[in-house]
């Protein structure tokens, strides 16, 4: 069974991530800590590649890149403000949930004391 360009791209990205991780680990724990954000994002990008719905042309173009994961990550760096918005939304939603839970507990305590 022939290997698809998508499979080739996924293998290339996975190998690149493995090399990056090994290189970080070889420099010791502080290097891993200092680059933890990049490692996490690159790992997530590698996983999300399979659900990215790339066209054949996009897959071929990324395959042409020497380091497609680094290429993708460079674009992420310019757009990473979006994660800040998502984090703020999560904090806001958690605040709402906590407030509702607090109101419910207060209501139950009042009912129990009656």
């Amino acid at each position: 069974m022939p290997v698809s360009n998508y499979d080739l791209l996924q293998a290339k990205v996975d190998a690149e991530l493995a090399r990056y991780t090994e290189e970080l680990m070889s420099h010791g724990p502080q290097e891993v800590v200092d680059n933890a954000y990049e490692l996490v994002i690159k790992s997530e990008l590698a996983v999300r590649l399979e659900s990215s719905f790339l066209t054949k042309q996009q897959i071929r173009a990324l395959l042409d890149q020497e380091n497609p994961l680094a290429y993708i990550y460079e674009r992420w760096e310019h757009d990473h403000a979006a994660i800040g918005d998502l984090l703020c939304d999560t904090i806001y939603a958690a605040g709402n949930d906590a407030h509702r839970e607090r109101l419910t507990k207060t209501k139950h305590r009042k009912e129990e004391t009656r």
Side-chain angles (χ1 to χ4, degrees):
M1 184 170 176
V3 178
S4 72
N5 280 343
Y6 169 76
D7 291 333
L8 292 172
L9 178 59
Q10 187 69 59
K12 191 172 183 178
V13 165
D14 291 343
E16 182 182 345
L17 179 61
R19 283 191 312 275
Y20 178 74
T21 303
E22 287 173 26
E23 183 180 332
L24 279 181
M25 300 295 257
S26 72
H27 293 291
Q30 190 59 50
E31 189 76 12
V32 174
V33 169
D34 291 346
N35 292 285
Y37 175 82
E38 184 173 349
L39 179 58
V40 167
I41 296 300
K42 283 184 172 182
S43 297
E44 189 66 22
L45 289 169
V47 168
R48 300 263 175 180
L49 185 62
E50 78 178 48
S51 60
S52 60
F53 304 108
L54 294 170
T55 66
K56 290 177 184 180
Q57 294 84 358
Q58 290 171 314
I59 291 169
R60 279 191 228 114
L62 286 170
L63 265 172
D64 287 345
Q65 294 296 317
E66 184 176 340
N67 295 298
L69 185 57
Y71 184 86
I72 295 167
Y73 180 77
E74 287 170 6
R75 272 93 194 132
W76 166 259
E77 282 185 305
H78 299 293
D79 294 333
H80 76 278
I83 197 169
D85 294 342
L86 290 172
L87 293 172
C88 287
D89 290 348
T90 300
I91 293 168
Y92 184 80
N96 282 340
D97 292 346
H99 178 65
R100 275 193 299 279
E101 288 174 17
R102 185 170 180 254
L103 290 174
T104 301
K105 286 178 186 176
T106 302
K107 181 180 175 183
H108 281 39
R109 274 189 241 131
K110 286 181 181 179
E111 290 173 355
E112 289 174 357
T113 58
R114 287 185 193 168

